[in-house]
Amino acid sequence: MNTKVILWVLLALPNLVSALESNSANVEVQADVQSSMQMQWHRLTLKDESYQKAKSKLTLDDSWMILPYGLYVELQTNDKDRNVFLHVDNLVSTNKIDTIHVDSIYISHNGKNPVPAENDLLILNPQDRGLLKTHVLLFIVKIQPYHKPGQYLANFKFINNTLP
């Protein structure tokens, strides 16, 4: 299986204590997009209609925190053997001491129930060949007593692989 990172996004998360009051994030992108693939994305803020629409579909209790940003992604490929996954790493504080492990992070894909970010999320598969697929991705933290507030960095990667 040939795996290649096609997009890397670094987002500085707002303070977890006041996360819903802030919408600032630093974004850095590196891309190596295959010729058979088209990808566009932009960061969603709390004020974006698609963020609010996806958020309104979720029913979560107080032990969950929806981060105040998300991603809107459009993907299309003509490759009959191409899969694209979203990979999420641990959240690491800017002081490099505190970590929120990926097993506490969940992803809501188009407003659906959150799925664990421990497993890469399939967002484009070969059956979607030729179709422009749109995705609204919201990130949710299952709050644990040992999580510490602060500024955190998140690494998200869009990984594609070619089936044999």
Side-chain angles (χ1 to χ4, degrees):
M1 186 180 308
N2 178 18
T3 303
K4 191 169 188 179
V5 175
I6 60 170
L7 185 65
W8 173 73
V9 182
L10 178 66
L11 298 170
L13 300 182
N15 186 311
L16 286 176
V17 171
S18 60
L20 297 177
E21 298 170 10
S22 173
N23 62 4
S24 65
N26 297 323
V27 178
E28 182 180 322
V29 177
Q30 294 177 352
D32 181 12
V33 178
Q34 304 297 315
S35 61
S36 65
M37 183 173 194
Q38 171 187 326
M39 174 185 258
Q40 295 183 31
W41 71 275
H42 67 270
R43 183 176 63 96
L44 298 174
T45 64
L46 286 171
K47 296 177 183 176
D48 284 303
E49 184 178 329
S50 53
Y51 177 99
Q52 289 299 324
K53 185 177 178 181
K55 182 181 173 186
S56 71
K57 294 177 183 178
L58 294 171
T59 54
L60 303 172
D61 62 32
D62 291 341
S63 66
W64 299 86
M65 182 184 68
I66 302 174
L67 298 181
Y69 67 88
L71 292 176
Y72 175 83
V73 181
E74 291 181 352
L75 291 167
Q76 183 176 18
T77 185
N78 293 321
D79 189 338
K80 63 181 171 57
D81 298 321
R82 178 90 45 209
N83 281 325
V84 179
F85 299 88
L86 175 68
H87 175 80
V88 178
D89 289 330
N90 294 335
L91 304 181
V92 180
S93 66
T94 54
N95 66 12
K96 308 285 187 223
I97 297 172
D98 303 315
T99 301
I100 297 176
H101 293 279
V102 72
D103 60 359
S104 294
I105 303 169
Y106 291 76
I107 304 166
S108 172
H109 184 208
N110 294 327
K112 294 179 183 165
N113 287 335
V115 296
E118 293 174 283
N119 305 317
D120 294 345
L121 178 66
L122 178 65
I123 58 175
L124 188 70
N125 61 46
Q127 291 79 19
D128 298 329
R129 181 176 152 201
L131 300 174
L132 180 64
K133 301 297 280 188
T134 60
H135 308 277
V136 174
L137 304 166
L138 301 183
F139 302 95
I140 304 164
V141 174
K142 177 73 171 166
I143 300 170
Q144 304 296 332
Y146 51 84
H147 288 160
K148 295 182 181 175
Q151 295 287 320
Y152 285 81
L153 300 174
N155 289 314
F156 304 99
K157 297 173 186 163
F158 290 92
I159 301 172
N160 81 70
N161 62 18
T162 304
L163 300 172

